[in-house]
Each structure stands twice: as C-alpha cells, then as structure tokens.
C-alpha cells in the first residue's frame, strides 16, 4: 500500500520534542508537522476502534486522502472551544446564516447568498443563528461556573506538544485544551446531549475519552517528568439536536474526574495501537480487520441471537435433534 521507505518531512514545524504555542489548528490536524510520521490521540483511537488501514486512509501518509469534512455538530463543538479558550472572541472562520436558511431557495434568501457562497469558498464553518446563540449561551453558562472558569484560565490554550515514544521512538502529538501552569489538573471541554452521569459515562467510553486522557498524561510525563496529575472533563450539556435555543436559556455544567484505573485501561489500548503504528511504518503494510497472521477470521452469531435460539430450544420450538 505504501513504500517501505517513508521520507522525512520537508521543513517540519517541529524539529525537537517540546511545547509549541504558535502552531495553527489546521496545520496540527491537516499535515505532518514532525520530522517523521507522528500520531495523535485521535489516530490511536482510530486504529483501536477500526483498523490501521482506516488510520492510513485518513492520514497524511495517504497521498490521495479526502479533505476533512466540516459537520454542523463538529462546528458547534469547535466554536464552543474557541469561545471558551480565547476569552469570548468569535473566530473569523465561522459564518452565521439565519434560521431556516436553505441555499437552494435562492429567491427567499437572495440577500444572504453572496456572503454564504463566499464563506463556503473560504472553507468557513457554517452555523445557523439559533446554533450560534446556543454556543454563546453555553459559554456564558460555563463562565458562571466558578471552578470551570478557574480551570480554563489556569494556563495557555491549545499548546501543541510533541515527543517520541520511549519504546518505539515514534513521534506522538497532543494538543490539550489548556496546558495549566501548575500541570496538576488537565481540563478538557466537552459538549454533550446529556451531562447526566450515566449518559456521559457511555459517551466517554464510546468516544474514547479514557484513551485520550492516558495519551495526554503520558505525553506530559515524557516532556515534563512523571507526576501525579488528574484529568477532568468540563461537560456542558447542549440537549438533543432538535432542541431549540431560546433567549435566556442556560445550560448545565458538570465536571468529571476520569478514574485512574480506567485511564490505565485506555493506556493499554493506546500501547497496542502505537505498537501497531510502529509495525505498519516498518513493514509498509496497513491491515484492515484481517492480518497476515489471521487471513481468515471466524464469524459468530451475536450473543443475543444465540440466547434467543437457546431460549426457543428450552421452550421446545427448536430441537438439536435433526
């Protein structure tokens, strides 16, 4: 799939392990910024959740990879981060359209089309007015939370961290929301449909937040020395996608401390993914679900289907005797 020899990055933004304050988000997410192929938390999670092939397909190693897509849900989350982390300033890479705006209805929205088309051509994130108002209200709700505000103002936002894995020598990257001056509590801003403990537990598990926490903490340990650090999520509940914002609405803010034992579980998943990343770079092979060691995989019924058949056997509907 790829050449066995992977040339070094031309003029990398990062030439040595360290903390870099001035690397734009687009560069961090869109290109290789280290001297050799590097991987971030999202890459490790993708390898673990899907496969090495799926990671390669979306990485700078793939010369024909598709551009990153901007989805409305992602735009809301990104804007919330930007507003909270940069003192309430609204970034210039967002464009707000009136509620109900549809590009195809050119007669109804004639006054909006020129600005909209220009924003799309510039690659800006598009939000409807109701979504934009909701994000600002979510940020204001967070600003009123004393501890959340203290955590989000205790350091520098979105510092790019880069180091080399001690075991494999491979470059890894991290970009915490806030790099605290004391580095005792590492905060991460999250929006959620529901901030209820049961619901957010499922979100944190399914989206790999424990893996991310382990990765961030390990990078900090490599760069600044091992220390007892805590990782917390500042969760701002936004409600279901179809729930409209209305003037004066406030949003619940909850802070969760990620369990140290489950961060260790995430660390084990990261270790496997990083070892596989290293192996793929050395061999030039980026396997999907099967591998040279297991070219044919077993396929089983789901546990639920098996239990249903067993239940029907017990009830006499089915019989093992043919």
């Amino acid at each position: 799939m790829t050449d066995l020899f992977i040339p070094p990055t031309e003029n990398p933004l990062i030439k040595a392990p360290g903390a870099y304050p001035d690397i734009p988000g687009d560069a961090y997410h869109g290109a290789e910024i280290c001297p050799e192929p590097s991987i971030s938390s999202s890459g490790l999670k993708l390898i673990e959740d899907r496969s090495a092939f799926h990671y390669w397909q979306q990485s700078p190693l793939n010369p024909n990879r598709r551009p990153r897509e901007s989805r409305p849900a992602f735009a809301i989350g990104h804007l919330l981060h930007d507003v909270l982390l940069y003192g309430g300033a609204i970034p210039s890479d967002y464009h707000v359209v009136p509620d109900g705006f549809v590009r195809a209805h050119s007669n109804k929205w004639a006054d909006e089309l020129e600005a909209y088309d220009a924003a799309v051509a510039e690659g800006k994130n598009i939000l409807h007015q109701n979504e934009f108002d909701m994000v600002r209200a979510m940020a204001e709700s967070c600003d009123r939370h004393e501890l959340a505000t203290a955590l989000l103002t205790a350091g520098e936002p979105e510092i790019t961290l880069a180091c080399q894995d001690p075991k494999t020598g491979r470059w890894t990257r991290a970009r915490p929301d806030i790099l605290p001056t004391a580095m005792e509590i590492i905060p991460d801003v999250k929006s959620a449909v529901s901030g209820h403990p049961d619901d957010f537990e499922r979100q944190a598990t399914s989206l790999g937040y424990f893996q991310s926490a382990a990765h961030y903490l390990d990078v900090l340990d490599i760069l600044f020395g091992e220390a007892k650090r805590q990782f917390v999520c500042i969760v701002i509940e936004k409600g279901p996608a179809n729930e409209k914002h209305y003037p004066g609405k406030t949003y619940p803010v909850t802070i969760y401390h990620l369990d140290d034992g489950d961060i260790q579980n995430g660390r084990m998943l990261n270790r496997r993914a990083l070892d596989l990343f290293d192996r793929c770079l050395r061999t030039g092979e980026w396997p999907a679900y099967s591998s040279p060691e297991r070219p044919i995989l077993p396929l089983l019924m789901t546990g639920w289907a098996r239990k249903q058949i067993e239940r029907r056997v017990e009830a006499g509907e089915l019989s093992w005797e043919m």
Side-chain angles (χ1 to χ4, degrees), residues 50 119 131 157 163 170 205 225 227 278 281 288-289 312 314 321:
R50 300 294 299 277
E131 296 170 324
C163 64
R170 297 300 179 187
T205 302
D278 172 59
L281 287 173
Y289 306 114
R312 295 176 68 185
E314 292 175 359
E321 297 179 2

Side-chain angles (χ1 to χ4, degrees), residues 41 45 77 80-81 84 138 142 152 177 187-195 200 203-204 207-210 212-213 216 231-238 252-254 256 258:
S41 172
K45 290 190 291 187
L80 178 62
H81 274 75
L84 284 173
M138 290 171 69
C142 189
L152 293 176
D177 286 346
D188 197 37
V189 176
K190 298 295 184 187
S191 60
V193 171
S194 170
F200 191 71
Q203 177 174 321
L207 296 182
Y209 293 170
F210 296 95
S212 295
Y216 285 23
F231 193 94
V232 302
C233 285
I234 299 173
V235 182
I236 308 171
E237 182 178 297
K238 61 183 177 181
V253 178
T254 310
Y256 290 103
L258 276 64

Side-chain angles (χ1 to χ4, degrees), residues 51-166:
S51 73
F53 170 81
H54 292 86
Y55 167 78
W56 175 88
Q57 197 171 48
Q58 297 183 26
S59 78
L61 294 168
N62 177 7
N64 299 312
R65 67 171 175 158
R66 296 176 61 181
R68 295 177 69 215
E69 296 181 3
S70 177
R71 302 176 185 176
F74 291 167
I76 290 173
H78 292 160
L79 179 57
L80 178 62
H81 274 75
D82 291 345
V83 172
L84 284 173
L85 300 182
Y86 293 99
I90 305 301
S92 60
D93 56 341
Y94 291 86
H95 179 73
V96 180
V97 296
D99 291 330
F101 174 86
V102 178
R103 174 64 180 84
H105 299 168
S106 56
N107 290 333
K108 180 178 180 180
W109 301 107
D111 295 339
E112 304 289 337
L113 293 182
E114 183 176 352
Y116 171 81
D117 289 343
V120 171
E122 294 172 14
K124 292 186 177 184
N125 296 295
I126 307 298
L127 288 177
H128 285 82
Q129 185 66 52
N130 190 271
E131 296 170 324
F132 181 77
D133 293 340
M134 178 184 72
V135 169
R136 291 207 294 192
M138 290 171 69
E140 290 168 359
S141 297
C142 189
D143 288 341
R144 288 191 290 270
H145 193 290
E146 186 175 348
L147 180 54
T149 299
L151 290 170
L152 293 176
T153 56
E156 295 297 320
E158 298 192 314
I159 301 292
T160 295
L161 307 176
C163 64
Q164 290 176 274
D165 172 48

